[in-house]
């Protein structure tokens, strides 16, 4: 990464900090970039070199990438632009409502409709008090709680899960006390297991008066809760009662993809995209690498080029 790009990233982050009233400590917490590095990076006429015990070297590029991601600075040319889809509009509206009124909300939408992308975009506009944790298929309850603790930058003083949940609540109360609107988003919530869902009930009980709690997932989340509820699994009926009237279903994906493919001139490529892309995410995975290669080769974006770039056989895909 050249020196000019690094300077532009620092300028972008500086403007972002001013806009959102962030301190260097906040940036360190959000990005994982060490405070010592940040002090050097933000110095006027910095050469972006560190000095650790007499050992000098350039601050690694990955830290500049982290800062660029925080502030929205594009290091490389983008080949995918945000479009005003009905899903994006609905997600932003529901998140804003939840944040303003500390609601518990469950956002359910199709895979690839932009749930994760839009929630991250929302969080970037509210960096002080909006926190996102992504549930994983192999996460235990302890893993999930530790993810939340880490995202909130809490130095946990106890080992029990209940103690950590109380510390999470304390952090959110602190933010609320100082005029913020704290929000915790659990993304890909369809992966939450019974123990984690029960813990979410405890988290709700600790946060409901002053913090928004948002679960984002596919309809698999609702199916899982219904199955566990019918089997009267411990804690599930209580959790269901707390989220029942916070359920929000997102609009279906517009599979004409008119907002995304109207500029593509090759009608064969448009037909291919309509036949083979089931959601916005899959559309992105075709258009972005193909557009990058088209620019590199100075060629038009065509179906033939897409097939070469993605190593696809002739004819439509079968899976």
């Amino acid at each position: 990464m050249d020196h000019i790009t690094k300077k532009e990233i620092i300028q972008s982050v500086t403007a972002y900090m001013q806009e959102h009233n962030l301190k260097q400590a906040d940036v360190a917490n959000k990005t994982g970039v060490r405070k010592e590095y940040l002090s050097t990076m933000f110095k006027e006429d910095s050469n972006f070199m560190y000095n650790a015990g007499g050992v000098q070297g350039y601050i690694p590029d990955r830290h500049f990438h982290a800062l660029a991601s925080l502030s929205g600075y594009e290091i490389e040319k983008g080949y995918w632009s945000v479009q005003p889809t009905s899903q994006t509009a609905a997600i932003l509206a529901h998140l804003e409502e939840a944040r303003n009124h500390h609601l518990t909300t469950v956002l359910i939408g199709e895979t690839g409709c932009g749930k994760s992308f839009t929630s991250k975009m929302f969080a970037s506009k509210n960096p002080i008090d909006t926190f996102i944790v992504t549930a994983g298929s192999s996460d235990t309850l302890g893993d999930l709680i530790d993810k939340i603790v880490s995202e909130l930058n809490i130095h946990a003083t106890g080992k029990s899960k209940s103690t950590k949940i109380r510390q999470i609540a304390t952090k959110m109360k602190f933010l609320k006390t100082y005029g913020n609107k704290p929000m915790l988003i659990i993304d890909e919530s369809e992966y939450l297991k019974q123990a984690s869902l029960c813990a979410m009930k405890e988290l709700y009980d600790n946060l409901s008066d002053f913090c928004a709690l948002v679960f984002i997932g596919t309809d698999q989340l609702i199916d899982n809760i219904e199955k566990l509820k019918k089997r009267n699994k411990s804690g599930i009926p209580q959790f269901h009662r707390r989220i029942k009237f916070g359920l929000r279903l997102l609009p279906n994906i517009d599979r004409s993809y008119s907002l995304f493919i109207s500029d593509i001139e090759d009608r064969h490529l448009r037909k291919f995209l309509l036949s083979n892309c089931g959601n916005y995410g899959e559309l992105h995975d075709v258009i972005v690498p193909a557009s990058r290669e088209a620019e590199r080769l100075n060629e038009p974006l065509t179906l033939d080029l897409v097939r070469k770039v993605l190593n696809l056989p002739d004819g439509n895909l079968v899976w």
Side-chain angles (χ1 to χ4, degrees):
M1 185 182 296
D2 61 47
H3 189 81
I4 293 176
T5 301
K6 292 177 181 178
K7 292 291 289 184
E8 289 178 351
I9 290 172
I10 297 304
Q11 291 169 1
S12 175
V13 176
T14 299
Y16 183 82
M17 291 170 65
Q18 292 172 348
E19 179 183 359
H20 299 288
N21 194 27
L22 298 179
K23 301 176 181 177
Q24 284 190 20
D26 299 317
V27 174
N29 293 338
K30 285 287 183 181
T31 63
V33 179
R34 291 163 47 182
K35 295 177 183 178
E36 310 91 273
Y37 283 165
L38 289 174
S39 296
T40 299
M41 296 161 97
F42 281 98
K43 285 181 180 177
E44 190 173 353
D45 298 325
S46 173
N47 61 2
F48 303 122
M49 295 186 70
Y50 65 85
N51 188 329
V55 178
Q56 290 187 332
Y58 284 104
I59 296 172
D61 286 355
R62 67 177 183 275
H63 297 304
F64 290 94
H65 281 275
L67 295 179
S69 178
L70 175 69
S71 65
Y73 178 90
E74 292 189 354
I75 296 176
E76 298 180 352
K77 178 179 177 179
Y79 297 93
W80 184 263
S81 58
V82 178
Q83 299 293 343
T85 67
S86 58
Q87 295 78 29
T88 293
I91 293 167
L92 292 176
H94 291 314
L95 291 178
E96 190 65 36
E97 180 186 30
R99 181 172 182 266
N100 287 335
H101 303 288
H102 46 80
L103 303 177
T104 296
T105 303
V106 181
L107 297 181
I108 299 298
E110 299 172 84
T111 296
C113 75
K115 300 186 298 297
S116 297
F117 179 88
T118 305
S119 60
K120 289 175 182 177
M121 182 171 64
F122 181 87
S124 73
K125 300 296 183 182
N126 303 282
I128 285 289
D129 51 15
T130 300
F131 306 92
I132 300 178
V133 169
T134 302
S137 60
S138 61
D139 280 353
T140 64
L141 171 56
D143 293 334
L144 183 65
I145 292 177
D146 285 344
K147 283 183 177 181
I148 298 173
V149 166
S150 176
E151 178 64 18
L152 269 65
N153 195 40
I154 295 172
H155 300 289
T157 57
K159 294 184 178 180
S160 77
K161 299 175 183 64
S162 291
T163 297
K164 291 178 180 178
I165 287 175
R166 288 195 296 272
Q167 291 172 339
I168 292 168
T170 298
K171 174 66 176 282
M172 295 304 199
K173 284 181 180 177
F174 176 83
L175 289 170
K176 176 69 173 177
T177 299
Y178 283 87
N180 296 292
K181 300 176 180 179
M183 168 184 279
L184 175 61
I185 299 172
I186 310 295
D187 194 16
E188 299 192 15
S189 294
E190 64 268 23
Y191 289 121
L192 294 177
K193 299 178 177 66
Q194 179 185 346
S196 297
L197 290 171
C198 292
M200 294 304 101
K201 177 263 181 189
E202 183 177 354
L203 194 61
Y204 168 94
D205 290 343
N206 280 273
L207 297 178
S208 60
D209 291 334
F210 51 86
C211 175
L213 183 58
V214 178
F215 300 92
I216 298 178
T218 67
D219 56 7
Q220 290 176 333
L221 171 62
I222 303 303
D223 292 342
N224 292 339
I225 293 173
E226 287 294 337
K227 289 176 183 177
L228 292 170
K229 181 170 170 284
K230 287 179 180 178
R231 291 158 59 189
N232 201 29
K233 288 294 185 178
S234 177
I236 297 302
Q238 293 86 344
F239 177 68
H240 179 265
R241 182 187 69 76
R242 286 160 173 77
I243 66 170
K244 181 176 181 179
F245 292 106
L247 178 63
R248 303 290 183 267
L249 301 180
L250 299 176
N252 291 330
I253 292 173
D254 171 18
R255 287 182 170 81
S256 72
Y257 302 134
S258 57
L259 291 172
F260 298 92
I261 68 174
S262 59
D263 292 336
I264 295 177
E265 296 180 0
D266 185 354
R267 63 183 180 85
H268 299 293
L269 177 54
R270 291 200 302 272
K271 182 178 179 181
F272 173 86
L273 295 172
L274 291 172
S275 299
N276 291 281
C277 294
N279 53 61
Y280 304 138
E282 292 180 0
L283 197 68
H284 169 279
D285 293 344
V286 175
I287 290 177
V288 170
S291 297
R292 186 184 299 118
E293 187 67 4
E295 182 176 72
R296 187 183 74 83
L297 297 174
N298 194 27
E299 293 184 6
L301 183 62
T302 64
L303 178 56
D304 286 341
L305 179 63
V306 165
R307 291 194 185 282
K308 290 177 183 178
V309 172
L310 301 182
N311 192 28
L312 299 177
D314 290 337
N316 285 338
L317 300 178
V318 295
W319 63 283

